[in-house]
Amino acid sequence: MKNTKQYLRAAFAALLFAAVLSSCIRDEQSPGYEYMPDMYRSPAIEAYVDYGEIRDTIRYEKMHQISARKPVEGTIAYSDNAVNDMPYLIPNTFEGYEEAGQKVRSPLESTEEIVNQGKKIYTDFCIQCHGKEGQGNGPVVEKGGHPAPQPFNKGLKDLPEGKMFHTLTYGKGAMGSHASQLTKEERWKVVAYVKTLQHHGEEEEQEENKQD
Ligand code: HEC
């Protein structure tokens, strides 16, 4: 009995000694023996790689395929500027032009501020052809011989805003597209100003009529 106890004690001491010894490692950076390595280092899974369905085997042939789904057709990226970032879906066709005239409406209110901003854009981008008062007599037409647009307050008096936007987006006849120069918001601002030019001279006419 005594022998067994002594034997057990010796065995325990030997085990303890071995455990203490094995925990002494020269490399200070070494974490020692790792019982559950996943808890020390999580596996570096790449988000866009399909590792296949079997969890512990990496399927190398699948590692070069994209696994994330493409967005559904017609998906629109989130944006905090809906005017600029909503796609303009009406095509550049004759039917599209007519459709724009009937359906497309400005998302902006024609406040004085918007009209003034539109006037600034008109002065920078349109005046050279359409002229200061929208009479189609800008210097590019008068001196440069460019085909003249009709005056906004005569031939284009009843042109709906949707057609104006469509023309600014795609161009029409001798007028090129302004989609690369002006954002959608800027196009709508200049449309707000062109709409005031459609009424250019009306007040004077009324004055004249009163005098008659
Ligand atoms: C290079 C000269 C030129 C410039 C610059 C120009 N336009 Fe024009 N624009 C024209 C001509 C020419 C037409 C007539 C096009 C046609 O009907 O064939 C026209 C037509 C238009 C029309 C009538 C479109 C329709 O649907 O009938 C609008 C509105 C218009 N322009 C607005 C603008 C605005 C706003 C700008 C500035 C952002 C601008 N244009 C810049 C030459 C120009």
Side-chain angles (χ1 to χ4, degrees), residues 12-207:
F12 181 71
L15 253 174
L16 196 70
F17 186 64
V20 168
L21 261 192
S22 73
S23 60
C24 299
I25 294 174
R26 282 205 182 158
D27 181 1
E28 282 179 2
Q29 298 296 318
S30 167
Y33 186 77
E34 294 177 11
Y35 298 93
M36 292 182 186
D38 271 7
M39 292 178 71
Y40 296 77
R41 283 181 288 272
S42 53
I45 300 286
E46 298 285 339
Y48 288 98
V49 171
D50 185 349
Y51 290 95
E53 294 197 340
I54 306 166
R55 200 186 161 279
D56 292 326
T57 6
I58 291 178
R59 292 200 180 166
Y60 289 96
E61 82 280 7
K62 288 203 156 198
M63 281 177 65
H64 302 291
Q65 294 172 9
I66 287 183
S67 60
R69 303 280 160 136
K70 289 213 170 107
V72 187
E73 209 179 311
T75 304
I76 299 165
Y78 170 78
S79 151
D80 53 9
N81 186 336
V83 176
N84 273 336
D85 296 333
M86 281 297 272
Y88 183 65
L89 297 173
I90 298 184
N92 182 14
T93 57
F94 180 75
E95 292 79 22
Y97 178 71
E98 293 303 320
E99 189 186 340
Q102 282 159 16
K103 288 195 197 153
V104 179
R105 296 282 175 275
S106 176
L108 306 179
E109 260 182 69
S110 292
T111 59
E112 206 183 323
E113 196 192 346
I114 296 283
V115 170
N116 283 339
Q117 289 173 359
K119 184 175 182 179
K120 168 89 176 61
I121 297 167
Y122 183 87
T123 313
D124 291 345
F125 288 93
C126 323
I127 212 167
Q128 69 272 33
C129 292
H130 285 275
K132 197 160 175 271
E133 288 160 351
Q135 298 299 300
N137 58 355
V140 172
V141 172
E142 297 270 278
K143 300 199 183 101
H146 191 278
Q150 300 187 69
F152 287 129
N153 63 350
K154 296 205 175 80
L156 300 172
K157 192 173 177 49
D158 299 318
L159 190 75
E161 58 184 12
K163 282 188 177 174
M164 292 185 197
F165 184 83
H166 193 89
T167 294
L168 280 169
T169 303
Y170 292 122
K172 178 171 180 268
M175 179 178 145
S177 159
H178 281 66
S180 67
Q181 297 96 312
L182 302 174
T183 64
K184 294 196 185 81
E185 196 173 358
E186 287 166 336
R187 277 173 256 161
W188 279 120
K189 282 178 181 171
V190 75
V191 163
Y193 179 65
V194 169
K195 276 162 56 183
T196 67
L197 290 177
Q198 287 179 314
H199 301 289
H200 178 73
E202 272 176 12
E203 281 162 31
E204 288 149 43
E205 270 170 35
Q206 278 166 4
E207 290 289 310

Side-chain angles (χ1 to χ4, degrees), residues 1-10:
M1 189 63 194
K2 207 181 170 197
N3 273 352
T4 332
K5 248 189 186 172
Q6 266 177 348
Y7 174 74
L8 271 175
R9 222 176 265 157

